[in-house]
Amino acid sequence: MRLVLLVLFVLCFVICLRAQSHADQVKAIQEDPRVQAAFDHIDKNKDSILREWIAITEVNAPSKQEQERAKFIESLLRKHKLEIRYDSAGNLIATRKGTAGGPVTVFDAHMDTVFQPGLKIKASVREGRVYAPGIGDDTRNIEALLATIRALDAAKIKTKGDLVFLFTTDEEAGMTGAKQYTKDNKGKVDYYVALDGGYEGFTYAGIGINWYRHHFIGPGGHTRSRTPPYSATLPLARAIARIYELKVPANPSSNLNIGMLGGSEVVNAKAADAWFTVDLRSTNNEVIADLEKKIAAILDEEAKRAGVTVKTDVISASPAAVLPGNRESNIVKIAEAVHRAMGFDPPIGNAGSNNSSAALLQGINSISTGAGPCSDSHALTENCEIEPLYKGIKKILLLEVALAGLAQ
Ligand SMILES: [Zn+2]
């Protein structure tokens, strides 16, 4: 017994010491005069950061039509000592070379928006917020990367590993930009940070999201036509009630939602097609597969019971991305320490759904975070608080230097 306690004590001591060392490491970097000079540079350039953030946002970039915005960002990057190229997916890639011997660290922000081509975007500033479609998702993070590049240069900060600034295409429509980059660079990237949404915390796993539309198909008919068969709304109601009885695990984090439904177009007709949607999410693909199977069984039983048939359309499906050991990896430990050092505590949030998943699915250690608090993403009323962005930019800069390593 005593031996067990001793072993536990030593184990705890080692673990605590290691945790401490990440925190100490980050604290030392944060207190380095060069990093403090970079922070000062950010504070002194608040106005120009806001102006540039707005200017990038006003170049609309619907998914697969990012070229104009990419050219604009490229023109800003050209003012710095960076290796700049595009890849086959249209991703804009700028590498800030390290002095050698450090991890290759990628920071990704996506260029595309969900807004229609031709939309004229004009930002407005009032009461400490900036309003414009796309200002938050994901232009705040594009601007954060540009501001950190300038601050790193101004403070003459060198990192050991390469810092790769990756401006991706097509995140909103299927992550094809990030999928291409991570496939092309598998084995060459040590850390991948997807900046998308987020401010106070970060995530280290990608949640799987499957969307379905289930239809019960019956003969329909007038209200007074002979029954059974019933309106196809009857099996729909029974099925929905039963689906909500299913046990959805909280661990691994999972969700189920039935958000939309429809039936006949008029009051005095039985529905020939009664449908509803299911939004199924989990960080574990087996949970999704299991719930999918149970839902299919319920649908079949209720269709049979009411004498109708069932049909399922998959609206979209993207698998969960969980990398074994990622929670204990260096990128997560450092990100944790960086967030705490900046006063964000507790920093670890739920699984996300963004370009980080593309990296995790390629086996690259990855997290996702962001540079500022925003609201109404994907809406024309999208807006962000201005002042916190500057702190968010400092957090990103500290994360860049802590991951890639501060060179002497
Ligand atoms: Zn986004």
Side-chain angles (χ1 to χ4, degrees), residues 45-215:
N45 287 278
K46 287 181 175 179
D47 291 344
S48 61
I49 289 171
L50 177 61
R51 272 199 304 276
E52 187 176 79
W53 182 16
I54 288 173
I56 299 165
T57 305
E58 289 180 347
V59 183
N60 191 19
S63 299
K64 300 186 176 68
Q65 298 179 49
E66 300 91 348
Q67 295 85 343
E68 192 188 345
R69 182 178 280 189
K71 286 278 162 233
F72 181 48
I73 298 168
E74 185 195 335
S75 73
L76 300 168
L77 292 167
R78 291 271 171 217
K79 297 173 187 161
H80 299 270
K81 201 168 159 252
L82 299 160
E83 288 177 15
I84 297 170
R85 67 184 178 93
Y86 287 89
D87 69 7
S88 63
N91 295 313
L92 168 59
I93 304 156
T95 303
R96 192 175 188 275
K97 293 300 283 179
T99 54
V104 173
T105 305
V106 175
F107 278 78
D108 159 329
H110 70 83
M111 294 189 286
D112 61 317
T113 71
V114 297
F115 303 103
Q116 87 245 25
L119 177 73
K120 289 272 165 285
I121 296 173
K122 189 89 195 94
S124 62
V125 175
R126 52 183 193 274
E127 285 153 14
R129 306 184 84 95
V130 54
Y131 292 77
I135 191 82
D137 185 11
D138 196 22
T139 322
R140 72 181 126 166
N141 290 315
I142 294 176
E143 179 51 31
L145 291 182
L146 290 165
T148 61
I149 293 168
R150 272 193 298 274
L152 289 171
D153 281 5
K156 299 194 167 54
I157 292 175
K158 292 197 181 93
T159 55
K160 290 178 189 159
D162 291 355
L163 277 172
V164 181
F165 300 96
L166 172 64
F167 301 90
T168 45
T169 55
D170 205 34
E171 190 273 342
E172 302 286 1
M175 306 183 198
T176 50
K179 281 178 184 163
Q180 188 67 48
Y181 179 84
T182 51
K183 193 169 138 240
D184 293 347
N185 293 280
K186 189 180 172 154
K188 292 184 229 161
V189 172
D190 296 293
Y191 303 136
Y192 193 103
V193 180
L195 298 179
D196 200 353
Y199 174 52
E200 297 184 338
F202 69 98
T203 62
Y204 62 90
I207 197 158
I209 304 180
N210 282 19
W211 289 356
Y212 316 82
R213 187 179 276 113
H214 300 296
H215 300 260

Side-chain angles (χ1 to χ4, degrees), residues 293-315:
K293 221 164 75 196
K294 285 178 177 148
I295 290 169
I298 291 171
L299 296 174
D300 276 341
E301 284 166 27
E302 293 305 337
K304 261 197 206 108
R305 197 172 151 198
V308 301
T309 57
V310 68
K311 180 176 91 111
T312 292
D313 299 323
V314 177
I315 302 168

Side-chain angles (χ1 to χ4, degrees), residues 208 210 212 247 249 252-254 280-294 318-322:
N210 282 19
Y212 316 82
K247 230 179 116 41
S253 175
S254 310
L280 195 54
R281 300 174 179 226
S282 179
T283 50
N284 186 325
N285 289 318
E286 281 165 31
V287 171
I288 291 180
D290 180 55
L291 285 168
E292 195 176 75
K293 221 164 75 196
K294 285 178 177 148
S318 77
V322 178

Side-chain angles (χ1 to χ4, degrees), residues 120 143 153 214 219 233 249 274 284 332 336 339 350 356 359 399:
K120 289 272 165 285
E143 179 51 31
D153 281 5
H214 300 296
T233 52
N284 186 325
V332 168
E336 205 174 347
H339 280 80
N350 282 328
S356 182
L399 192 57

